Amino acid sequence: MSALVLGHMNPDTDSIVSAIAAADLYSKRGFSVAPAAQGEPTPETEFVLRKFGLTAPRVVKDVAGKELWLVDYSDLPQAPAGMDSATILGIVDHHKLGDVTTSTPLEAWIWPVGCTNTVLKNMYDFYGVEIPKNIAGAMLCAILSDTVIFKSPTCTEADKKAVDALAKAAGVTDVKALGMEMFKVKSAVEGASMKDLVFRDYKDFDMGGKKVGIGQLEVVDLSILANVKDGLYEEIRKVKGEGRHSVFLLLTDIMKEGSEMLIVSDDPSVVERAFAVKPDGKSVWLPGVMSRKKQVVPNFEKAFK
Ligand code: MN
Ligand code: MN
């Protein structure tokens, strides 16, 4: 039985490409592994896979009894069913350390950088394994996606350095143009249901014992979302109704570099405590806020304490 390399729930481009790249690297190191994902690729990820001729990993929703390598997360709310009887062999990640535990020693590569694929690029170098051209291209896109083309405060020099090297390996000459092409695909909302949009990039967190959901949609211009905003609000009200204290949806304008946050909460004053701004009814504009991980989750964690 081969081990699975598996990213987080509601997989983004980083989770899916990390699984593909890590599975390539681990198999070249002699492990028997296969990439997997907890869901189908988003339109952005589909674009990346198509562009570089890769296939989406198979969808796995239960890992009972399996051996796992985790990529792009290490917390249980992002994990699939059956984790308690799975064996975690390793973690490659760039988030805060989560709450998974292991019964055996593991290989962990967790770096404070903008993208799991930046860590993986350095792992390829460490093990002296050459990155296949198509995987290099997809890894490059994952870094551009997670760092919002270097604009996110999560972006580090290591991410930029990895992008330079991966662009050379993949034969990509205009990295920013590729990034914008990808974000235009990501911005498209036609044909997607409100539920699809809310869960496209959505995570549940445990904050001071309360279940809090935070979703994010990144677009090249907020006007793209004008016609769906009311529908999105209705949808997060439903999601909150499924036993959550709060649900927040970040509508991020990557050109204006800020986010409008839609708010549904049992205690909306947490938003004021977290960001020192007074919400205007259902939403608030947060200038400069691009990163859920670095600018939103830590603030809410403090506010919920
Ligand atoms: Mn991710
Ligand atoms: Mn990531």
Side-chain angles (χ1 to χ4, degrees):
M1 184 186 77
S2 52
L4 296 176
V5 188
L6 188 65
H8 57 72
M9 225 171 247
N10 303 314
D12 54 8
T13 298
D14 189 25
S15 264
I16 289 194
V17 175
S18 289
I20 293 170
D24 174 68
L25 175 61
Y26 296 148
S27 53
K28 287 169 182 167
R29 288 168 59 195
F31 295 101
S32 170
V33 289
Q38 294 192 54
E40 302 294 339
T42 64
E44 179 199 63
T45 309
E46 259 174 29
F47 162 83
V48 172
L49 296 176
R50 203 178 322 118
K51 179 138 199 127
F52 294 101
L54 295 163
T55 42
R58 79 183 158 96
V59 174
V60 171
K61 302 233 179 198
D62 192 319
V63 294
K66 293 199 160 60
E67 293 190 319
L68 290 182
W69 298 83
L70 305 186
V71 285
D72 203 32
Y73 76 109
S74 70
D75 47 347
L76 292 171
Q78 311 300 329
M83 274 300 265
D84 22 344
S85 67
T87 305
I88 297 168
L89 302 176
I91 302 170
V92 188
D93 193 17
H94 68 122
H95 293 86
K96 76 183 173 82
L97 182 61
D99 49 5
V100 301
T101 53
T102 64
S103 49
T104 50
L106 82 164
E107 180 185 306
W109 290 72
I110 304 172
W111 287 12
V113 293
C115 182
T116 299
N117 276 282
T118 299
V119 185
L120 280 162
K121 158 74 177 82
N122 285 275
M123 289 173 69
Y124 270 103
D125 293 346
F126 179 84
Y127 290 107
V129 175
E130 197 180 326
I131 308 178
K133 194 175 176 185
N134 58 342
I135 293 181
M139 290 172 75
L140 160 69
C141 285
I143 301 173
L144 294 174
S145 172
D146 264 18
T147 65
V148 194
I149 322 179
F150 309 137
K151 288 181 183 189
S152 171
T154 59
C155 185
T156 66
E157 282 309 309
D159 299 300
K160 292 180 186 167
K161 219 178 125 192
V163 162
D164 278 347
L166 290 166
K168 278 192 195 92
V172 171
T173 47
D174 192 339
V175 163
K176 288 197 176 156
L178 173 60
M180 276 311 285
E181 197 186 348
M182 183 178 66
F183 272 95
K184 282 195 184 123
V185 173
K186 187 175 207 169
S187 300
V189 292
E190 297 93 51
S193 70
M194 294 303 141
K195 194 174 176 189
D196 286 345
L197 292 174
V198 167
F199 285 101
R200 190 171 273 179
D201 180 5
Y202 173 93
K203 291 178 180 176
D204 277 317
F205 299 88
D206 180 329
M207 296 199 179
K210 299 187 172 75
K211 190 169 179 183
V212 176
I214 309 176
Q216 183 171 28
L217 284 172
E218 291 168 322
V219 291
V220 289
D221 189 330
L222 267 194
S223 66
I224 294 168
L225 299 175
N227 292 331
V228 294
K229 217 184 274 179
D230 290 345
L232 292 172
Y233 190 82
E234 269 318 295
E235 191 63 36
I236 62 170
R237 265 170 38 97
K238 270 188 233 158
V239 176
K240 185 201 168 289
E242 293 159 5
R244 291 172 180 86
H245 176 280
S246 306
V247 177
F248 306 107
L249 183 64
L250 298 159
L251 310 177
T252 302
D253 187 317
I254 72 161
M255 302 312 285
K256 288 196 193 79
E257 301 190 21
S259 297
E260 179 175 356
M261 184 166 69
L262 304 186
I263 303 158
V264 193
S265 177
D266 286 340
D267 176 14
S269 74
V270 290
V271 175
E272 233 182 302
R273 287 203 296 282
F275 298 98
V277 283
K278 217 175 169 61
D280 167 24
K282 298 172 174 176
S283 74
V284 69
W285 171 252
L286 302 171
V289 170
M290 317 262 298
S291 166
R292 172 175 50 201
K293 180 175 65 165
K294 197 158 184 169
Q295 296 169 296
V296 177
V297 171
N299 291 32
F300 272 133
E301 280 190 327
K302 270 185 224 140
F304 270 94
K305 259 191 193 139

